Structures are given as structure tokens and as C-alpha cells.
Amino acid sequence: MIELDSVMLSRMLTAMTLIFHIIFATVGVGVPVMISIAELIGIKKKDKYYSLMAKRWARGFTIIVAVGVVTGTAIGLQLSLLWPSFMQLAGKVIALPLFMETFAFFFEAIFLGAYLYTWDRFKNPMTHWWLSIPIIIGGTLSAFFITTVNAFMNTPAGFDVEDGVINAINPLAAMFNPATPTKVFHMVSSAYMTSAAILATIAAVTYLVKRDQEYAKRALKLTVTATLVFSISTAVAGDLSAKFLAEHQPEKLAAGEWHFETEEGADLVLFGTLNDDNEITGEIRLPKALSFLAYGNFDAEVTGLDKIPDDEEPPLFIHYFFDLMVSIGMFVLLVSGLYVLMTYVKKWNPHNKLMLWALTTIGPLSMLAIEFGWVYAEIGRHPWIMRGFMKVAEGATTSPNVGAMFLLFFLLYFVLGIGTLVVLRKMFKDHPAEVELEHLYTEVGKGGER
Amino acid sequence: MGYEYIGITVLWVFLYGYLIVASVDFGAGFFAYYARRTNKDHIMNKLISRYLSPVWEVTNVFFVFFFVGLVGFFPDMAYYFGQALLIPGSIAIVLMAIRGSFYAFESYGSKNNSVFMFLYGATGLLIPASLSTALTISEGGFLNVTDDGVRLQITELLLSPYSWSVVLLAIVSVLYISSMFLSYYAHKAGDKDALSLLRKYALFWSIPTIIASMTVFIAMSQHNPEHFDKLFDYWWVFGLSVLFYLIAVFLVYSEKLYGFAFIAVMLQFFFAFFGYGVSKLPYLLYPHVTISESVTPDAMGLALVVAFIGGLLLLIPSLVMLMRMFLFDADYIKGNK
Ligand code: HDD
Ligand code: HEM
Ligand code: HEM
């Protein structure tokens, strides 16, 4: 039985907040890219459909951003409230990116305000388009900064400890620690991919319910192509992340792959279950593939859990999260690749029922992959909160009231989640694209749109 | 000058900035709700939403900046305040989350929903009240520090006259600052009806503001005599604050120079806030944390200061752009854009 002490409850509350926040953060990072592309195409091709697409996405985006901001504020404060000892120690070394992140937020918030309220204020539409660039930069930079903090927790760098006292602090070395490049690349790429996939899902549903099909076709073409590009870069980044783990955090890779004995030419284990003696049954085994995944060489030696002290072994169930993440990645890549292929071969109809149904799944699935990936990465760091320096239990608050706060926040996220869904639904159901487009044209006729 | 002084100055300036912009925002929420209840919403609410829509997110970032910077420059604060503030801090987060998201829901989604309006108005007063407890606690006397950790003594907090006087001051100053700003904004927008209503609110709330300020002084003399004595070393700062208060009220009373009146309000709070801050040094938290003992190591201090300067170079031009687009663009304010 798991004991619900304040350490466990703090972990649960942190996990809940992050799992909720990451949904909105991901969309917050990725969707501006898509809005910007659509607006640019609309201007260059003088195609009203694309301009409308940018506007509609931006409108939904405001709601997501609002929830992203408030849940982000929550997690920012909770880090100090729930992990005071960790923040006291880590703050001395890794405060820099956290601090810079607030500037990125500022930057993004300012230009977002400017962007949303000035659609038709400028004579040259390109002026308005330029306002989208700082939003993209701000969002992506904030993802970069926060991910460096998380990377630091996995591979702390940039300081020395002597008799329990931290010295020789180098904030830049802490920020650009060994985990930073792969983590940031994979994180940002998967956020772009997921955002494109979610918009593709929406377009596919619109097409399927036979509304606004002209609009939906264009939206599908743009979003699915983007999904394909970003899912390829996500897979590349994921492969690099695995190679990073093999070198710097072998215990996480070994636990994720159920790799018990250090050996050359290690097999890759897909799915399966563990029995009481930690023997794997019902798995799919790819000979020597793990060595290849980890080092790009089928005969390389991969560190197994036998080299890891027992009390530093991450939980073994993270295996499933890893497998699910990778499976989703492959599925989305295949579906979007097939669709793009079909649009190029004249004889095929990319808008057949089966294809559209498959496309409706890629958004939610990608979001799940993000969640699975984080659970794998975060729980795979256990028992450390700062790998090698501080265990999770040492970082937590000792306050006895974490349980009540967990319930409070559960309620909050529940209400916010429902509210978001209701408002978004209302927003788009009441305003179909076709109606809006007609509206646009008539108003243009009258000399000026809003 | 060490990093502790640079750090605390930067943070205090941002907290002051938050105090002003957030008060405008919080108070506006309350007035919007109040106007709705008294059927005056047609006069005011358009004005309020035109100001608030573009800037609420920026307001929130001021706050985030403050607490992230506080933990950055003074990591020990994470340890003491983190443990002590779990409950009040969480409540404040929940209120702010409800406010921010429901504001967005209401203004981009379902218009004129009265539940949303109520939440928006009520949180406008509850948030300043809950945030002000952090300042109260920093005066000392409410924490129990042992080897097991830091505990907040909630009963003592709830029974303390000092604590309540601060809450009162927070609420009335929010309404005062906000109505002063909105009067100015209504004046700029040339909205006569809204102006005459808001001007009345402003004059009305100026009276409890000065009373509540005096009450805090008196309660402080009981609660933390050491700090109270030091307040007196800076009596002229508080004198200036009162002077600007009188100027502001006089200008609004005589229906003149609304812009200057609001600047006077800002100066009034500037002097009061910095007088309070300076007299409290070197303590961040009586008597456990001082700025010089808790300051982050030099290497990090330097990095934060450099990042701050770089950040400002980026921010100031963008903020100027935002203000010119919305706050000081006469056409926008009047609703022509
Ligand atoms: C759309 C989401 C998505 C998809 C399709 C994938 N990943 Fe992923 N993965 C993430 C989303 C993600 C993530 C949420 O962004 C994580 C969590 C922490 C991180 O840095 O990225 C992550 C972590 C993560 C890690 C752990 C990194 C670490 O802890 O430092 C590895 C080894 C991989 N991934 C590998 C892959 C591979 C080989 C994939 C094959 C296609 C893959 N991922 C697809
Ligand atoms: C946003 C995506 C993220 C998700 C979904 C996520 C998920 C999780 C989960 C599931 C846990 C609980 C693990 C456990 O204790 O069983 C956790 C713990 C934690 N995470 Fe993350 N995480 C994310 C990003 C981050 C980042 C960027 C940071 C650092 C700034 C961070 C800091 C922490 C801390 C301090 C803990 C508690 C210590 C621990 O249990 O390991 N997380 N997170
Ligand atoms: C790696 C996962 C994360 C990503 C990609 C991410 C990204 C974002 C984004 C994009 C926003 C702003 C929403 C918007 O304006 O579009 C945001 C808000 C915020 N995030 Fe996260 N975040 C992550 C995890 C965290 C963690 C672990 C923290 C805690 C340190 C955090 C703290 C914040 C704060 C304080 C805000 C609100 C800022 C504001 O008021 O504008 N985020 N995050």
C-alpha cells in the first residue's frame, strides 16, 4: 500500500498540476506557429479561407492561453509551496532560466494582446502578421527556459558541493547542462506536432459532419502537412533523447526498456508483462535493437539495472509509458504521411471516410503521447528530485495540509477543464465558418471589416 | 552595493507595479459587478472591458515576475514562505485562477453571464485580501520555526488586529486606485456619464483609504514596535504620501486634470510603499530572514542582474507599444477602433 504522507501527496499534487498545465502549455507553444503560417498564406495567396482560419484559431487560442497562464501561475507558486527545500537548494543554481522565463511570458503576453485586438487596424496586412513572430518567439523561449530547469533536475551541472555547502556556481553551465539539447529539441518539436495534430483533428471532424467542407479541406491540407513535418522531427529528437539517456542517465533507459543485465547486442523489449520474479512474458523482442537505439550500433554494450544500486532504481512500470509514446509517434507519422501522399497522387481521394476517421484521432493521441512522455521522463528520474544530489523525500514540504490542497486543486482543474470545453464548443458551434465568411465578404463590400 | 540591494530594489519596484496595475484590474471587476447589480452597467462596462481586455495577462506576469524573482534572489524565502504559506498561497492561486480564466470565458465566450460576473467581482476583493497576508506574515510573530519545519499559526493570524487592518487597507486601496484610474480613463474617452459615476466612487473611497492607512500604523505599533520605530525615521516619506493623496483628491473633487490626479495617486502609493519597504530593511521576514544572509551567491546574483537588464531592454519598447496602441490611443479608447 502506498502511504499518503506529505511527500506522496506533494508528488501527486505536482503531477496533477503539471499534467493539466502541459495540455495548455503545449497548445500555447505550438498553435501560434500554425496561426502565423495560415495568416501568411492567406495574405500571399489572397485566400480569405486561410485568413479566416488564422482568426478562428486565434480566437480559440485566447481561451487556452488564459487557462495556461493561470495554471502556470499555480505551478510556479506550487514549486515553492510543495518543494521548499528543493527550491532553496536549486534556486541558487538554476534560478536564471526561471527568471528569464518571466521575461519571455511578458514578451508573449504583450504581443498577444497587441495581435488579438488589431486584426484590421493596419493598412498593410503584413504589419499585423509581423506581430505574430514575437508571440512564437516568446512561447518557444518559455518552453526552452522551463525545459532547461527540468533538464537540470535530471543532470545537475554548474556547481560543486563541499560538506553540504554549494559553491563554484556557474548559472550558464547549469542551464546548458547535458540534458538540455535533446530535451528542448524533443519538447518543442512535440509541442508543434501536437498543436498541428489537434487542429487537424478539428478540421477532420468539421469535414465529417459535413459543415464548411471547402474551409475544412484547406485546413486539413495545411495542418496534416505540418503534423507530418513535425512528427518526423519529433521522432529524430526522440531517438537523440534515447542516445542521451544511454550515456548520461542509463538507469532511466534501462528501467524503461526492462533491460536487467548489462550486455552487448541488447534486445529491445516491446510491451509484455513482468511476473513476480521480474521475468518478462508476452513481449515482442527485437534482437539487438536496443543497442542500436542507444548507440547507433547493433553490438554496443548497454548498461542494465544490475549496475544500478537497488535503492536508486526507477519504477519499472514506466516501460508502458515509453512504449505507448513511441507507438503513438509512429502511428501519427504514418497516418499523416499517408494523407499527404494521397493528396499528391491524383487518383486517390484523401478525404475518404477511413482516412478522415484516422485523422480525427491524431490530435488527442498526440496529446496523450506528451503526457506519457512526461510521466516516463519524470517518474524515470525517481528516486531523485535532483539526480545524484537530493532525493524526492528530502525536497518536499513537511506541512500536514497537502491532502486538503490536493482536493482543492482537483476541484479547480475540474471546473477549469469543463469551463474550457463548454466555452470552446459554444464559440465554434454558434459561429460556423461559412457564415463568418459570408459576413466577411458583405462587410468588405460595405468598405471595412471588423 | 551588493546584489541584495539591487535585488530587493528590483523586486520592490515590480511589486509596486503589480500593486498599481492589479488594483486597477481588481477594482474594475468589482465595479463592473456592482454596476450590473444597480443597473448602471450600460454606462460603465464597455469602458472597463476596453481597458481590461488587452492587458489582464500582462498584469498577471507582474506577479509571476515578483515571486520568481524573490526565490531567485533570496532562495531562503522559498524555504520559509513555501512551508508557511501552503494554505493562504493555495487559496490565492485558486482565486486568481478562477478570476483569470472566467474573465476569458466571459469576454471571449459567453457574454454577460451573471455567474461569471459575480465570480469576477468577488475575486477582485478576495485576492488582494489573501495576498496581503503574505506581507502581514513577513512582520513576524505568526510563524513557528522548529527542526521539523516552519508552521503558520493560523489562529493567531486570524485573531490579530494588525492582520485585519492590513486586509482592510488592501481592499479599500484597490477600490480607490481603481476608481481613480477609471475616472481618468473615462475622462479621456469623453464618456461623461461614466465619468460622473466613477468620480463619485473615487471620492467616496478616498475616505476609508486614509482611515485604513492610519489604522495600519496604529496596529503596527502594537504588533511590531521595532518596525514601527523605524517607520518614524522615514516620517517625511509618509508625509509626501499624504501630500499627494490630498492633491489627488482635490483635483478629482474640482473636476480638473484627471491625468495628474492619477499620477498623484501613483506617487501617494509609491512613497507609502517604499517608506514601508525601506524601514523594514534588512528584514525580509522578521526575525528569521534578512536580505544579506539569504541573498543568492554572487555568480547567480550577477547573472540575474544581467538577465534583468537584457529583459528590460526588450520589454520597455514593447510595453510602450502596447500602451500607445490601447491606453493612449484616443480613437481606441473612444471605441472607434
Ligand atoms: C507528441 C509527443 C511525443 C512523441 C510522438 C514522442 N515523444 Fe518522446 N517525449 C515526449 C513527447 C513525445 C515529451 C512529452 O516531450 C518528453 C517528456 C520529457 C521530454 O523532454 O520530452 C518525451 C520524452 C522522451 C524520452 C526521455 C527523455 C529524457 O527523459 O530525457 C525519450 C528517450 C523519448 N521521449 C523517446 C521518444 C522516441 C524514440 C519517440 C519515437 C517516435 C518519441 N519519444 C515520440
Ligand atoms: C509540463 C510537463 C510535465 C509533466 C506532465 C510532469 C509530470 C510530473 C509527474 C507525473 C510527476 C510525479 C512523479 C512522481 O513523483 O511520481 C512530476 C514530478 C515533479 N516534476 Fe514534473 N512534469 C513536467 C515538467 C516539469 C518541469 C519542467 C519541472 C521543473 C521545472 C518539473 C518539476 C517536477 C518536480 C519538482 C516534481 C516533484 C518531484 C518528483 O516527484 O520527482 N516537472 N512531474
Ligand atoms: C515543459 C513544460 C512546460 C511548458 C512547455 C510550459 C509553457 C508555458 C506556456 C507557453 C505558458 C503561457 C501560456 C501562454 O501564454 O501561451 C505557460 C505559463 C506558465 N507556466 Fe508553464 N510550461 C511548462 C511547465 C511549467 C512549469 C514546470 C512551471 C513552473 C515553474 C511553469 C510555470 C508557468 C507560469 C508561472 C506560467 C504563467 C505565466 C504568466 O502568468 O503569463 N510552467 N507555461
Side-chain angles (χ1 to χ4, degrees):
Chain A
M1 223 5 241
I2 305 169
E3 199 192 338
L4 284 186
D5 54 6
S6 55
V7 177
M8 192 61 209
L9 285 165
S10 296
R11 290 170 60 184
M12 286 163 57
L13 180 48
T14 305
M16 179 170 70
T17 302
L18 281 161
I19 284 174
F20 194 70
H21 175 65
I22 193 64
I23 300 174
F24 301 90
T26 303
V27 175
V29 173
V31 165
V33 179
M34 301 303 297
I35 296 178
S36 177
I37 297 176
E39 189 182 12
L40 186 64
I41 298 180
I43 295 171
K44 292 287 165 200
K45 284 196 180 170
K46 298 215 176 357
D47 184 335
K48 278 276 162 196
Y49 280 106
Y50 286 97
S51 312
L52 181 64
M53 215 177 280
K55 268 192 195 180
R56 285 171 71 88
W57 289 346
R59 215 177 304 143
F61 181 64
T62 53
I63 301 285
I64 302 285
V65 168
V67 182
V69 169
V70 298
T71 52
T73 310
I75 175 66
L77 267 174
Q78 269 180 5
L79 277 185
S80 295
L81 295 178
L82 297 175
W83 309 98
S85 309
F86 164 66
M87 287 302 278
Q88 188 185 24
L89 174 73
K92 296 187 177 128
V93 194
I94 199 66
L96 180 64
L98 280 174
F99 190 61
M100 293 209 272
E101 196 190 9
T102 60
F103 283 104
F105 288 144
F106 251 127
F107 197 57
E108 185 188 0
I110 289 173
F111 280 92
L112 191 65
Y115 184 82
L116 290 175
Y117 291 91
T118 56
W119 277 104
D120 302 297
R121 244 170 103 172
F122 302 106
K123 292 223 171 54
N124 182 352
M126 284 303 283
T127 315
H128 185 256
W129 178 77
W130 277 107
L131 287 176
S132 70
I133 302 300
I135 304 178
I136 297 180
I137 296 176
T140 301
L141 271 184
S142 59
F144 166 74
F145 288 131
I146 194 69
T147 311
T148 64
V149 178
N150 186 263
F152 172 84
M153 294 164 66
N154 284 284
T155 52
F159 64 99
D160 279 336
V161 180
E162 240 172 75
D163 306 326
V165 180
I166 287 200
N167 52 36
I169 289 167
N170 179 346
L172 284 178
M175 201 170 141
F176 294 96
N177 60 73
T180 294
T182 48
K183 254 215 153 78
V184 169
F185 180 21
H186 195 41
M187 167 68 216
V188 170
S189 171
S190 61
Y192 288 176
M193 164 187 163
T194 305
S195 304
I198 287 173
L199 296 172
T201 291
I202 297 174
V205 172
T206 316
Y207 196 97
L208 272 174
V209 299
K210 296 215 164 46
R211 263 176 48 179
D212 309 327
Q213 291 197 334
E214 266 316 298
Y215 170 86
K217 246 191 216 168
R218 287 176 173 75
L220 271 175
K221 190 165 165 212
L222 172 59
T223 53
V224 181
T225 310
T227 309
L228 176 64
V229 173
F230 293 134
S231 57
I232 293 171
S233 68
T234 302
V236 172
D239 183 52
L240 293 175
S241 302
K243 291 182 171 41
F244 153 81
L245 285 185
E247 197 167 325
H248 293 277
Q249 239 183 328
E251 73 280 7
K252 192 192 276 184
L253 189 68
E257 306 294 355
W258 286 350
H259 182 56
F260 295 105
E261 310 291 334
T262 304
E263 61 184 357
E264 294 172 8
D267 297 349
L268 184 64
V269 174
L270 296 182
F271 298 101
T273 47
L274 279 185
N275 66 16
D276 292 341
D277 304 321
N278 270 357
E279 283 158 359
I280 308 166
T281 52
E283 81 280 18
I284 307 167
R285 211 169 253 278
L286 302 182
K288 300 196 179 186
L290 181 57
S291 290
F292 185 73
L293 185 69
Y295 292 101
N297 168 0
F298 286 104
D299 295 314
E301 185 182 271
V302 182
T303 312
L305 286 173
D306 53 346
K307 290 270 174 70
I308 310 295
D310 278 352
D311 61 348
E312 291 177 17
E313 213 172 82
L316 293 175
F317 66 83
I318 59 175
H319 175 71
Y320 298 110
F321 288 93
F322 181 76
D323 281 1
L324 285 169
M325 167 181 70
V326 176
S327 312
I328 292 174
M330 292 303 160
F331 176 77
V332 174
L333 206 153
L334 283 178
V335 171
S336 52
L338 199 63
Y339 174 89
V340 171
L341 188 70
M342 285 169 111
T343 55
Y344 282 104
V345 180
K346 283 271 147 46
K347 274 185 302 194
W348 291 342
N349 170 21
H351 301 106
N352 65 57
K353 271 259 156 68
L354 191 67
M355 189 72 229
L356 287 169
W357 275 109
L359 286 174
T360 58
T361 63
I362 62 176
L365 281 179
S366 302
M367 190 54 89
L368 274 179
I370 294 253
E371 303 281 8
F372 294 156
W374 276 110
V375 171
Y376 169 54
E378 296 290 287
I379 295 189
R381 189 185 59 230
H382 270 241
W384 302 106
I385 190 167
M386 237 172 101
R387 183 175 179 270
F389 292 94
M390 184 186 254
K391 296 215 167 149
V392 171
E394 299 158 353
T397 181
T398 53
S399 167
N401 302 311
V402 188
M405 296 303 113
F406 182 87
L407 292 180
L408 181 70
F409 279 98
F410 180 81
L411 262 175
L412 174 70
Y413 300 143
F414 185 76
V415 172
L416 291 186
I418 303 279
T420 310
L421 287 178
V422 170
V423 171
L424 282 180
R425 221 179 104 88
K426 208 165 161 247
M427 199 176 217
F428 291 104
K429 224 175 160 191
D430 298 352
H431 304 275
E434 295 291 348
V435 178
E436 261 191 75
L437 204 63
E438 261 169 44
H439 214 64
L440 270 180
Y441 280 127
T442 45
E443 285 199 15
V444 170
K446 282 189 261 154
E449 46 181 286
R450 266 208 59 83
Chain B
M1 198 155 82
Y3 292 114
E4 64 266 40
Y5 286 100
I6 302 179
I8 196 66
T9 310
V10 166
L11 293 173
W12 209 240
V13 168
F14 267 74
L15 193 58
Y16 166 73
Y18 180 67
L19 178 105
I20 297 292
V21 289
S23 292
V24 171
D25 178 42
F26 292 149
F30 177 78
F31 289 129
Y33 177 68
Y34 180 74
R36 161 66 71 84
R37 290 305 301 265
T38 50
N39 287 327
K40 293 191 185 117
D41 47 341
H42 52 284
I43 305 180
M44 239 170 58
N45 284 9
K46 233 174 135 184
L47 185 82
I48 289 180
S49 84
R50 282 191 91 69
Y51 160 72
L52 285 181
S53 302
V55 300
W56 78 268
E57 241 195 285
V58 181
T59 309
N60 194 52
V61 186
F62 267 97
F63 178 63
V64 174
F65 182 98
F66 174 75
F67 73 72
V68 171
L70 184 69
V71 174
F73 276 107
F74 305 103
D76 287 354
M77 289 299 271
Y79 180 75
Y80 284 94
F81 267 24
Q83 301 213 32
L85 288 183
L86 181 66
I87 294 177
S90 298
I91 292 175
I93 301 172
V94 169
L95 291 171
M96 291 169 88
I98 290 186
R99 179 185 180 77
S101 50
F102 277 74
Y103 174 70
F105 292 169
E106 126 92 30
S107 57
Y108 309 121
S110 54
K111 295 254 189 296
N112 292 327
N113 179 316
S114 44
V115 178
F116 290 176
M117 289 290 285
F118 170 73
L119 285 174
Y120 192 59
T123 50
L125 298 187
L126 291 173
I127 294 171
S130 68
L131 289 181
S132 68
T133 39
L135 279 183
T136 308
I137 289 170
S138 73
E139 286 299 322
F142 300 111
L143 295 185
N144 192 356
V145 181
T146 63
D147 284 346
D148 294 339
V150 182
R151 291 280 177 277
L152 179 62
Q153 292 164 313
I154 293 189
T155 2
E156 278 169 40
L157 186 67
L158 290 180
L159 292 178
S160 150
Y162 176 67
S163 151
W164 286 108
S165 70
V166 173
V167 167
L168 186 73
L169 177 62
I171 292 179
V172 293
S173 13
V174 159
L175 294 171
Y176 167 71
I177 295 176
S178 184
S179 50
M180 281 290 196
F181 175 80
L182 290 171
S183 302
Y184 156 66
Y185 202 68
H187 173 69
K188 264 210 94 150
D191 187 339
K192 293 241 162 51
D193 294 342
L195 175 60
S196 83
L197 188 66
L198 286 162
R199 189 179 150 268
K200 277 196 210 108
Y201 290 162
L203 291 176
F204 176 82
W205 287 107
S206 66
I207 298 161
T209 302
I210 200 75
I211 296 176
S213 317
M214 295 304 153
T215 319
V216 168
F217 266 88
I218 296 167
M220 171 85 93
S221 69
Q222 302 293 312
H223 182 77
N224 186 345
E226 186 185 340
H227 188 181
F228 183 73
D229 287 345
K230 281 175 58 195
L231 283 178
F232 265 90
D233 297 346
Y234 295 94
W235 62 269
W236 56 274
V237 181
F238 294 98
L240 281 174
S241 172
V242 174
L243 180 68
F244 281 108
Y245 166 78
L246 293 173
I247 293 177
V249 175
F250 174 74
L251 287 177
V252 170
Y253 178 74
S254 47
E255 306 187 30
K256 281 199 289 242
L257 300 174
Y258 285 96
F260 275 107
F262 187 67
I263 291 177
V265 171
M266 284 174 61
L267 288 172
Q268 172 198 340
F269 279 88
F270 180 86
F271 285 112
F273 196 66
F274 277 79
Y276 169 79
V278 169
S279 63
K280 192 161 167 188
L281 290 180
Y283 287 103
L284 284 173
L285 167 59
Y286 272 101
H288 304 289
V289 189
T290 64
I291 55 170
S292 41
E293 281 166 25
S294 68
V295 69
T296 197
D298 279 356
M300 182 55 81
L302 177 66
L304 292 179
V305 170
V306 171
F308 179 71
I309 294 171
L312 279 191
L313 291 179
L314 198 72
L315 274 189
I316 291 175
S318 337
L319 265 177
V320 169
M321 179 207 74
L322 188 74
M323 307 239 272
R324 284 184 39 181
M325 270 181 177
F326 298 110
L327 278 187
F328 301 119
D329 181 326
D331 270 354
Y332 178 81
I333 297 177
K334 292 190 176 127
N336 298 342
K337 276 191 185 164

